[in-house]
Amino acid sequence: MPVYSMTGYASAQNAASGTGASAEETAAHAPRPHRLGLEIRSVNSRFLDISFRLPDELRALEPALRSLLTARLRRGKVELRAALGNEGSSPLQDPPAKLLQRLSFLQDCVRAWLPDAAPLTVADTLRLCANAQAGAEDWSAAVPALAEQALDALLSAREREGTRLAAMLLERVRQLRALARQAVPMLPSLVEQQRQRFLERWQEAMALTGDAVLSETARERALADATAYALRIDVAEEITRLDSHLDETERLLKKGGEVGKRLDFLIQELHREANTLGAKSAALELTRVSLDMKVLIEQMREQVQNIE
């Protein structure tokens, strides 16, 4: 199963001829078909957040569109926009005579009660006629079909982006493994260096006393302190957990599906282990390894936020 990004964009268009005009009106004023355009935009979000921007003629279809989106999307902030227009070179249609008569009658009725009401302008008349003609069309079948088409394109775009993100994350996993392998050989040498340093310091201190018994006791104390120090700086457990988290991250990326939230949790665990590695660092080389790990993990965190 592929990995899906939550970021994507798709659009689709369709045209349907008007169905609300009578035969006489159709013969006298052949209406141009209305063009329906749909756009779906998607960005990252913790949950599935769907919003609609629909013209008044299509608002009744919002429940059907919401069901369509929730059936195939799991996470992301999704916005669906729809717009109605007219086919042809000119966006204006000749208003039907019956519709103009109806508007004139309604205007006379309104002004009979409200004499100060402003008369209809040409722009008002054309807009009302266009809305009336668009509202007469039945989009109940065309809109869901077009939304399904746009949704297919959106999922394809999200899959392509998800494939790219997965490849990038797998490359970061490989780099983190390489850094972990660099850290492992440093540990024995660091412990041995610190052990010798403890012994030298205690021998210098005991040389002033010249007491063999005290010197032997001091040596044993130095070895005990060196052992305790070795336990404090030992990061073998952190390296083991880091490898385990990287194994799980790689498994999820290859498995695909809805893995975004689990990957986000694993990134937090990786960051915790890298922090502990830096806190226990007893050498500049190990500190550098920890910092390089944090940089890679932060890059992974930014990209994981976009995975569904």
Side-chain angles (χ1 to χ4, degrees):
M1 184 178 294
V3 172
Y4 287 96
S5 170
M6 286 186 283
T7 303
Y9 170 83
S11 63
Q13 292 187 353
N14 187 27
S17 59
T19 59
S22 65
E24 293 80 2
E25 291 170 350
T26 302
H29 304 282
R32 297 182 180 90
H34 284 90
R35 183 180 67 252
L36 171 65
L38 282 179
E39 289 184 350
I40 305 181
R41 303 172 186 268
S42 174
V43 295
N44 61 319
S45 176
R46 292 184 62 190
F47 308 101
L48 182 59
D49 181 10
I50 301 176
S51 61
F52 296 92
R53 294 195 176 184
L54 305 176
D56 293 338
E57 298 83 359
L58 304 180
R59 291 204 177 275
L61 300 176
E62 182 175 323
L65 293 173
R66 185 178 296 276
S67 298
L68 178 65
L69 295 178
T70 54
R72 301 183 62 184
L73 300 175
R74 294 294 177 267
R75 292 179 65 198
K77 183 177 177 60
V78 181
E79 181 184 73
L80 187 149
R81 293 171 175 254
L84 290 173
N86 296 315
E87 287 289 352
S89 58
S90 173
L92 299 178
Q93 296 187 43
D94 296 337
K98 285 189 174 181
L99 189 53
L100 292 175
Q101 292 172 359
R102 180 63 178 169
L103 289 175
S104 176
F105 172 75
L106 292 174
Q107 177 178 241
D108 292 341
C109 291
V110 170
R111 299 194 68 183
W113 288 94
L114 302 172
D116 296 332
L120 287 173
T121 64
V122 174
D124 293 335
T125 303
L126 292 175
R127 177 175 53 82
L128 291 172
C129 289
N131 289 341
Q133 289 176 299
E137 296 185 14
D138 183 9
W139 295 101
S140 59
V143 171
L146 196 61
E148 186 82 35
Q149 178 183 338
L151 185 55
D152 288 340
L154 176 70
L155 290 174
S156 296
R158 287 170 57 143
E159 180 180 349
R160 290 192 298 272
E161 178 68 10
T163 301
R164 187 188 67 80
L165 292 178
M168 187 279 292
L169 291 172
L170 288 172
E171 175 60 22
R172 298 298 184 273
V173 167
R174 186 192 65 78
Q175 296 175 8
L176 285 171
R177 290 191 192 278
L179 289 173
R181 286 194 296 269
Q182 292 179 25
V184 171
M186 298 179 187
L187 303 180
S189 60
L190 291 175
V191 172
E192 182 60 27
Q193 289 174 12
Q194 193 63 29
R195 178 176 176 275
Q196 292 298 327
R197 191 175 296 116
F198 271 109
L199 287 174
E200 291 171 1
R201 290 178 180 176
W202 280 103
Q203 287 172 358
E204 291 173 0
M206 291 302 103
L208 300 175
T209 65
D211 191 327
V213 176
L214 288 176
S215 180
E216 183 63 26
T217 303
R219 183 176 181 279
E220 293 178 357
R221 176 64 182 275
L223 291 175
D225 287 347
T227 302
Y229 178 79
L231 293 175
R232 289 198 303 272
I233 68 171
D234 185 16
V235 293
E237 184 178 352
E238 284 73 21
I239 296 295
T240 300
R241 286 200 295 265
L242 190 74
D243 283 336
S244 175
H245 297 328
L246 291 175
D247 288 341
E248 181 64 11
T249 300
E250 188 172 358
R251 186 188 71 82
L252 289 175
L253 289 172
K254 291 180 178 179
K255 173 188 173 184
E258 301 170 32
V259 296
K261 290 184 178 180
R262 297 187 65 181
L263 287 174
D264 188 49
F265 171 76
L266 286 171
I267 292 298
Q268 297 177 30
E269 295 301 308
L270 287 171
H271 197 271
R272 181 179 291 111
E273 302 305 333
N275 273 335
T276 306
L277 187 67
K280 288 186 174 183
S281 173
L284 182 61
E285 293 82 2
L286 200 56
T287 301
R288 179 187 60 79
V289 168
S290 174
L291 290 175
D292 289 345
M293 282 184 172
K294 290 180 183 179
V295 171
L296 291 173
I297 293 170
E298 190 60 32
Q299 292 174 357
M300 293 176 70
R301 184 199 303 276
E302 293 176 359
Q303 301 304 326
V304 163
Q305 300 299 320
N306 292 319
I307 294 180
E308 186 177 49

